[in-house]
């Protein structure tokens, strides 16, 4: 394969970066932030941060990252080819081998595999344009498929059948499979109880007028009246904690950068790759202006004029909707220079992920934006001291941010009066698995697991165990069905709310198959940077394989002991949360006696 770029390979890169002769001004990135002349964590300057978007542009245009195109990107961005290859090979959505122009990524993860995913993959087996995929964030409509298409926008498909996947692969025209589907059950659209989801499925996500008529932008107006200090005070009073999994108090994090004198940045984390999680997708698809408004409020409060929205690559529709909202908000003076005549300037730049779960970890996300492999950084320094491009950075999850208008309009105390003392406010839960009505459900903290499952239409068969918090969380038995879903109650029960995944599995579930899938997920997604996680995730999978193949090395009890030791090594010795939690779901299945028989 030639490493000399062909005309079409050059054209694909030039279309994105601008023709070499025209400097940086001519390409799709005409507002190029090559002015990001910041040293960053790695000390590299200026253009390196364009590496991933440039590779994505090549992938989108010609269907793979050919050696010629890779070399031309390197030439244009002054990045050594070996480095760029290291980055390109990190991301599952970038192909370094030539492949068909349309490829279907078929979800084989925890929810889909028990609900038609395995059968779909079997029906499509042997095709070179079908690849198995980790969770695509559409667990409510299994089986889920993402179609990557050279020269055309990517397409999410849910409730897929072999027939429609084959037709789309053959080039059948795009029919948006469910234009009115945003993750929440249609029966919930417009329900009076909803606050965060009140507009989802009700407003046209492309209409700023609709958004404003439904109360949109009242929060920003209030914020500009209040001023940054009072906003942070109100956020602290609300007691809100982050919804991205780590549950850190939002106001305390914000205060840490508000006191710094240098430029600071806001990053909204919309990577959402934890299997079973799809709430942020629903918010961005169904109510994109609310994220734009909320990010603007956050930027104003912390004193940031630039922000990045990192959306997982598997969410093309969410990215389209938010990009449209950003454009419309700018045209209406609600974003950009001098927001609503206040003198405050604020911009949002969308960056797409490349198919790597670890890039949801905030420091891995910084490296990804900066054009490096998405490997987590050692902390300290914490992002609030030295984050993206080495600047103080606030990272917040989509759902966390979307609470802001509510907190400002109703007051921090009113928000804190909802939920419990330690888990204040309202929460979105992602319900899938063996339940009648999968979807995102909005409740106050303190609602029990049983109540949530009932809201979602109840189980479709007797529940053997429920996966709580995602595959980084754990399975809980029916004895915990009355557990109030709060940070404190889950902690006391030795489990975690994580990303608010609630996935019940019935008594006929093959838990050994699920355990193998979870082990394979962590083995695949470990970035490989630190030994306990890189080796531990492989050893964990091997031990399970031996047990389930009926060939344990030292009896099942011996393998269980080994698995416990591996889990401890990963939990205690890994750099980041992926390693810390890579053994927890499997350990919980062992403790519940759902795998391995009697040790
Ligand atoms: C392996 C891993 C994956 C993560 N993925 C996400 C994610 O997809 N979205 C997210 O908001 N937070 C994710 N986080 C948590 C982030 O590091 C960070 O805590 C969060 O974005 C902060 O926002 P919040 O305070 O609003 O929750 C992940 C953490 C780890 C360890
Ligand atoms: S714990 Fe795993 S994912 Fe995290 S840095 Fe180490 S190897 Fe990478
Ligand atoms: S989309 Fe398949 S498990 Fe989430």
């Amino acid at each position: 394969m030639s490493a000399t770029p062909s005309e079409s390979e050059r054209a694909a890169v030039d279309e994105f970066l601008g023709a070499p002769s025209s400097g940086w001004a001519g390409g799709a990135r005409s507002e190029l932030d090559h002015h990001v002349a910041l040293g960053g964590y790695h000390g590299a300057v200026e253009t390196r941060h364009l590496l991933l978007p440039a590779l994505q542009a090549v992938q989108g245009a010609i269907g793979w990252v050919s050696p010629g195109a890779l070399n031309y990107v390197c030439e244009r961005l002054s990045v050594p080819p070996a480095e760029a290859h290291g980055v390109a090979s990190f991301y599952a959505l970038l192909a370094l081998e030539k492949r068909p122009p349309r490829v279907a990524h078929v979800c084989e993860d925890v929810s889909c595999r028990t609900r038609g995913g395995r059968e779909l993959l079997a029906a499509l087996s042997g095709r070179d344009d079908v690849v198995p995929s980790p969770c695509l964030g559409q667990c409510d409509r299994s089986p889920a498929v993402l179609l990557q298409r050279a020269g055309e926008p990517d397409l999410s498909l849910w409730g897929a059948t072999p027939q429609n996947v084959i037709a789309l692969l053959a080039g059948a025209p795009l029919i948006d499979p469910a234009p009115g589907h945003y993750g929440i059950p249609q029966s919930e659209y417009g329900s009076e109880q909803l606050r965060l989801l009140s507009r989802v499925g009700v407003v046209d996500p492309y209409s700023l007028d609709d958004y404003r008529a439904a109360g949109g932008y009242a929060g920003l107006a209030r914020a500009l009246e209040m001023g940054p200090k009072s906003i942070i005070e109100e956020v602290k009073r609300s007691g809100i904690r982050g919804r991205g999994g780590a549950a850190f108090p939002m106001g305390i994090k914000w205060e840490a950068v508000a006191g710094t004198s240098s430029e600071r940045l806001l990053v909204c984390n919309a990577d959402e790759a934890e299997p079973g999680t799809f709430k942020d997708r629903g918010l961005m698809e169904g109510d994109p202006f609310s994220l734009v408004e909320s990010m603007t409020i956050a930027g104003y409060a912390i004193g940031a004029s630039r922000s990045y929205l990192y959306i997982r690559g598997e969410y093309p529709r969410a990215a389209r909707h938010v990009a449209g909202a950003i454009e419309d908000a700018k045209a209406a003076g609600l974003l950009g220079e001098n927001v609503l005549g206040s003198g405050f300037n604020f911009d949002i730049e969308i960056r797409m992920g490349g198919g790597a779960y670890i890039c949801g970890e905030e420091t891995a996300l910084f490296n990804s934006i900066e054009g490096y492999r998405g490997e987590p950084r050692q902390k300290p320094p914490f992002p609030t001291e030295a984050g993206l491009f080495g600047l103080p950075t606030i990272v917040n999850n989509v759902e966390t941010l979307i609470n802001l208008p509510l907190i400002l309009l109703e007051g921090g105390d009113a928000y804190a009066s909802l939920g419990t003392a330690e888990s204040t406010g309202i929460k979105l839960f992602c319900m899938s698995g063996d339940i009648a009505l999968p979807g995102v459900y909005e409740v106050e903290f303190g609602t029990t697991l049983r109540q949530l499952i009932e809201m979602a239409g109840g189980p479709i068969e007797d529940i053997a165990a429920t996966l709580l918090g995602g595959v980084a969380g754990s399975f809980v038995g029916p004895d915990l069905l009355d557990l109030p879903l709060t940070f404190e109650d889950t902690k006391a029960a030795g489990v975690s709310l994580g990303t608010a995944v609630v996935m019940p599995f019935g008594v006929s579930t093959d838990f050994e198959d699920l355990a193998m899938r979870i082990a394979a997920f962590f083995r695949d997604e470990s970035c490989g940077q630190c030994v306990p996680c890189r080796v531990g995730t492989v050893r964990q999978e091997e031990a399970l394989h031996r047990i389930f193949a009926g060939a344990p090395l030292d009896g099942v009890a011996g393998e269980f002991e080994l698995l416990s030791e591996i889990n401890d090594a990963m939990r205690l010795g890994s750099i980041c949360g992926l390693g810390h939690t890579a053994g927890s779901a499997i350990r919980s299945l062992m403790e519940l006696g759902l795998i391995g028989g009697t040790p």
Side-chain angles (χ1 to χ4, degrees), residues 357-358 361 374-377 522 525-535 537 570 573-580 582:
Y357 168 69
I358 191 59
E361 195 282 334
E375 289 167 350
R377 301 174 183 173
F522 282 111
E525 301 294 341
S526 164
C527 82
Q529 198 181 195
C530 57
V531 176
C533 171
R534 181 177 69 234
V535 178
T537 51
M570 293 194 292
S574 300
I575 291 181
C576 86
L578 186 147
H580 299 156

Side-chain angles (χ1 to χ4, degrees), residues 30 45 86 122 138 182 211 231 321 373 431 512 550 553 561 587:
S30 55
V45 200
Q138 306 168 43
Y182 305 111
Y211 179 65
I231 299 172
H321 287 195
R373 291 165 69 86
M431 311 283 298
E512 297 193 344
L553 277 184
E561 210 178 308
R587 191 188 173 88

Side-chain angles (χ1 to χ4, degrees), residues 507-525:
V507 286
S508 65
T509 304
D510 180 348
F511 284 101
E512 297 193 344
D513 172 70
L514 275 189
M516 283 308 293
R517 171 59 210 153
I518 293 169
F521 175 84
F522 282 111
R523 186 248 303 137
D524 272 351
E525 301 294 341

Side-chain angles (χ1 to χ4, degrees), residues 344-369:
F344 164 59
N345 303 330
F346 185 67
D347 216 339
I348 301 175
E349 170 157 347
I350 295 180
R351 291 298 180 105
M352 297 302 288
Y357 168 69
I358 191 59
C359 287
E361 195 282 334
E362 54 196 2
T363 60
L365 189 157
F366 300 154
N367 280 345
S368 178
I369 293 181

Side-chain angles (χ1 to χ4, degrees), residues 110-112 115 138-142 275-278 429-435 437-439 456 466 501-505:
V110 277
S111 184
C112 289
R115 307 194 63 76
Q138 306 168 43
C139 330
D140 51 324
R141 293 281 175 103
S142 303
T277 318
F278 48 92
F429 284 90
C430 308
M431 311 283 298
S432 66
D434 291 341
I435 44 166
L437 287 172
T466 301
V501 167
V502 174
M503 203 184 283
F505 288 98

